[in-house]
Amino acid sequence: MQELGLVSIGNTKLFSTTDVNGRYEISLTKNFDTKNNVINVNSLRFEGSLKANYSIEKQADLTVSCVSMIMGKIAMTTSH
């Protein structure tokens, strides 16, 4: 099963999830501040970012890096 990722534009509340092929779509309003130009991708296993080019609709392909995760648990006991 393909993992879905979260794509967001830095310093904004705009985001989208990717489909199973890694595609996403974010719609911008006409008064959007184009100074916010970093597209971030985060998921449980991958992360990456790229600088957006707002003069074109299709952005450059983004290569993400694999993030290692360590999972565990901590048991805590208290004495009364």
Side-chain angles (χ1 to χ4, degrees):
M1 182 175 150
Q2 177 86 15
E3 180 178 339
L4 300 181
L6 180 69
V7 179
S8 62
I9 298 177
N11 299 321
T12 73
K13 295 180 180 181
L14 299 174
F15 70 94
S16 178
T17 55
T18 61
D19 66 12
V20 295
N21 295 313
R23 295 179 298 218
Y24 66 92
E25 182 175 316
I26 298 175
S27 297
L28 306 176
T29 61
K30 64 181 175 182
N31 56 352
F32 175 76
D33 184 359
T34 57
K35 292 178 189 167
N36 298 314
N37 63 355
V38 176
I39 299 174
N40 300 302
V41 177
N42 291 329
S43 73
L44 291 176
R45 294 182 36 210
F46 302 102
E47 66 180 18
S49 63
L50 67 86
K51 187 173 182 179
N53 179 356
Y54 293 123
S55 64
I56 58 173
E57 184 175 358
K58 183 185 180 314
Q59 298 300 303
D61 291 339
L62 174 63
T63 303
V64 295
S65 58
C66 187
V67 177
S68 299
M69 182 187 326
I70 300 173
M71 298 190 64
K73 61 183 178 179
I74 298 174
M76 195 169 178
T77 60
T78 59
S79 55
H80 292 277

